Amino acid sequence: MKNIFFILLLTVLAGGCSKDKPLVISSEDYHSSVGRLTDVMVHDIFSPPVASRVYAYSNIAAYEVIAQGSERFTSLSEEFEELKKIPKADSTKQINLRLAAVVAQMEIGKKLIFSEESISTFHDSLSGVWKKQNEEEFFDSQEYGKAVAAVISEWMDKDNYKETRTMPKFSVYSEDPSRWQPTPPAYMDGIEPHWAKIRPFIMDSASQFKPAPHPDFSLQKDTNFYKELIEVYNVKNNMAETGDASEEMKMARFWDCNPYVSTTRGHLMFATKKITPGGHWIGICKIACQKNNLDFEETVYAYTTTSIAMADAFISTWDEKYRSELIRPETLINKYIDENWKPVLQTPPFPEYPSGHSVVSGAAATILTRLFGDLTFDDDTEVKYGLPVRSFASFNQAAEEAAMSRLYGGIHFRSAIEKGLEQGKAIGAYVVDDLEVKSLY
């Protein structure tokens, strides 16, 4: 009897000390990792196009890991000629592909942001838990995730981003009355004037989805351009009469997504930090993933396809912005109509045409509709930035509202909004076809 009891005791003790159980990595772990990257980019004040690059490469790193062990998802190295195949996971080691995917995502993210310590601290907090569960599996998986990140990093470094850092700034001097000029209150230089030189992911070139031209610049009252200018002026004035409670005002503020809003108090100027347009749609992607109870692999796939479409959308948008170099409504209204007029939103520091929100929202909504169908959802992405939840019947409805918010905000002409939305949907459809994006619902 004593021998039996002793054997049972040893069994219990051995089980309690065992570290042979495989690590359990959930889709929520991945959501948390992407969320931390978003928080760091808000802190570091990343511009919208640069943020889109961070989302794309970090998610692709994770995707390449999970694609290796999947019968459903295939490596993007078959799509991107310059992307080498990642090394195969060593079958003699205890490699958890999900953990390796999180590591690869964080390693690439850490290379692309400024506040590396924040990502490292987050990684260390997770590592402490995972190491206690299965130390050998943790270290084997971490080593493999870093090896994958090295391959992605090598490919990433050849996209011409570094070269654009040394290219000349946008010259603001011009006698052309239609050409963009810096806007108040900070009068910042035009950001990322060479973004069209970044290597696209799926598009053949930055100009592949060049939008139809905007109306010819004219200050004659019977022209389409002037009519659009007066529309911006009147819409804002009408909203001012109804106050902050108007639906148009709520839309404008909800979709502001300006990562750097300059605020002046006397002689002091400081920045109010917010999420980027791409970051907002990444938040919507998370909502859709959670509502559909996607597993880890499906979650990574959703983030990756959405990120790729948005990254190409920003390249396409910036290509046209710095080709047309169109002036903003605020500049013209202040000079020719009403010097005291101010838009609801702060005008972003780059040319007007097309609306970046419209292009990116159209692209993201097209991808998400393919992934999830016409999903109804409550968008709480902006709650942490002091804005209430808004509800949508579909991704396309959200994209249309995001686009129109730029008119209500007083920062875009109607043509930039409507043509931009068409441009974005075309980019999204192209990505869906080229990558053969799968339905997840």
Side-chain angles (χ1 to χ4, degrees), residues 3-18:
N3 289 337
I4 294 175
F5 176 78
F6 183 69
I7 293 172
L8 288 173
L9 179 61
L10 289 177
T11 302
V12 169
L13 290 173
C17 297
S18 175

Side-chain angles (χ1 to χ4, degrees), residues 267-374:
H267 296 291
L268 177 66
M269 179 177 285
F270 58 92
T272 300
K273 301 177 182 181
K274 298 181 181 180
I275 200 170
T276 63
H280 191 136
W281 281 99
I282 284 292
I284 292 175
C285 180
K286 174 185 176 181
I287 292 167
C289 289
Q290 291 177 324
K291 189 167 184 177
N292 283 270
N293 297 314
L294 297 193
D295 63 23
F296 185 95
E297 289 73 20
E298 292 170 331
T299 295
V300 173
Y301 180 71
Y303 275 122
T304 303
T305 50
T306 303
S307 297
I308 288 172
M310 291 196 299
D312 270 5
F314 272 109
I315 292 171
S316 179
T317 302
W318 253 246
D319 175 63
E320 180 58 36
K321 279 186 178 294
Y322 284 97
R323 178 175 27 250
S324 58
E325 297 180 346
L326 185 62
I327 198 166
R328 289 278 183 168
E330 180 177 14
T331 307
L332 293 176
I333 291 172
N334 287 164
K335 186 173 183 179
Y336 298 104
I337 301 173
D338 182 352
E339 64 179 8
N340 297 314
W341 184 91
K342 292 182 180 180
V344 171
L345 303 179
Q346 193 169 112
T347 301
F350 36 81
E352 192 271 345
Y353 190 79
S355 157
H357 257 63
S358 303
V359 181
V360 172
S361 295
T366 301
I367 296 294
L368 291 169
T369 300
R370 172 56 183 161
L371 292 169
F372 301 105
D374 289 326

Side-chain angles (χ1 to χ4, degrees), residues 40 44-46 110 112-117:
V40 172
D44 289 348
I45 315 180
F46 273 52
K110 191 163 60 176
L112 294 172
I113 47 87
F114 304 133
S115 302
E116 294 183 26
E117 184 178 348

Side-chain angles (χ1 to χ4, degrees), residues 139-324:
F139 282 115
D140 285 350
S141 303
Q142 179 174 251
E143 181 183 20
Y144 180 62
K146 289 183 177 181
V148 171
V151 174
I152 302 301
S153 181
E154 181 182 354
W155 171 57
M156 176 179 73
D157 286 344
K158 297 176 182 177
D159 72 351
N160 212 37
Y161 174 80
K162 291 181 179 179
E163 288 76 3
T164 63
R165 302 305 90 188
T166 60
M167 292 178 183
K169 293 182 178 180
F170 178 75
S171 174
V172 298
Y173 176 76
S174 175
E175 296 182 358
D176 182 350
S178 72
R179 194 167 185 265
W180 179 81
Q181 293 293 314
T183 50
Y187 294 94
M188 293 173 62
D189 291 333
I191 66 167
E192 299 299 341
H194 306 288
W195 198 255
K197 297 180 177 68
I198 301 295
R199 176 187 61 202
F201 288 89
I202 302 299
M203 297 187 302
D204 296 335
S205 69
S207 61
Q208 183 178 358
F209 292 93
K210 180 181 177 182
H214 58 75
D216 291 337
F217 177 83
S218 175
L219 296 176
Q220 297 298 315
K221 294 184 179 181
D222 61 343
T223 61
N224 289 333
F225 186 89
Y226 189 82
K227 290 176 182 177
E228 289 195 10
L229 176 63
I230 288 298
E231 180 183 27
V232 176
Y233 178 69
N234 289 334
V235 164
K236 192 268 180 175
N237 290 345
N238 291 338
M239 287 168 59
E241 293 177 5
T242 57
D244 289 346
S246 71
E247 192 64 16
E248 292 82 2
M249 187 72 79
K250 291 177 183 178
M251 291 182 193
R253 298 198 185 286
F254 184 78
W255 293 101
D256 184 12
C257 303
N258 186 340
Y260 186 95
V261 177
S262 299
T263 304
T264 303
R265 295 284 186 274
H267 296 291
L268 177 66
M269 179 177 285
F270 58 92
T272 300
K273 301 177 182 181
K274 298 181 181 180
I275 200 170
T276 63
H280 191 136
W281 281 99
I282 284 292
I284 292 175
C285 180
K286 174 185 176 181
I287 292 167
C289 289
Q290 291 177 324
K291 189 167 184 177
N292 283 270
N293 297 314
L294 297 193
D295 63 23
F296 185 95
E297 289 73 20
E298 292 170 331
T299 295
V300 173
Y301 180 71
Y303 275 122
T304 303
T305 50
T306 303
S307 297
I308 288 172
M310 291 196 299
D312 270 5
F314 272 109
I315 292 171
S316 179
T317 302
W318 253 246
D319 175 63
E320 180 58 36
K321 279 186 178 294
Y322 284 97
R323 178 175 27 250
S324 58

Side-chain angles (χ1 to χ4, degrees), residues 378-400:
D378 297 324
D379 186 358
D380 62 357
T381 307
E382 298 285 345
V383 168
K384 67 190 302 181
Y385 304 103
L387 295 168
V389 175
R390 288 187 69 81
S391 299
F392 299 99
S394 67
F395 300 112
N396 284 323
Q397 184 199 7
E400 289 164 8

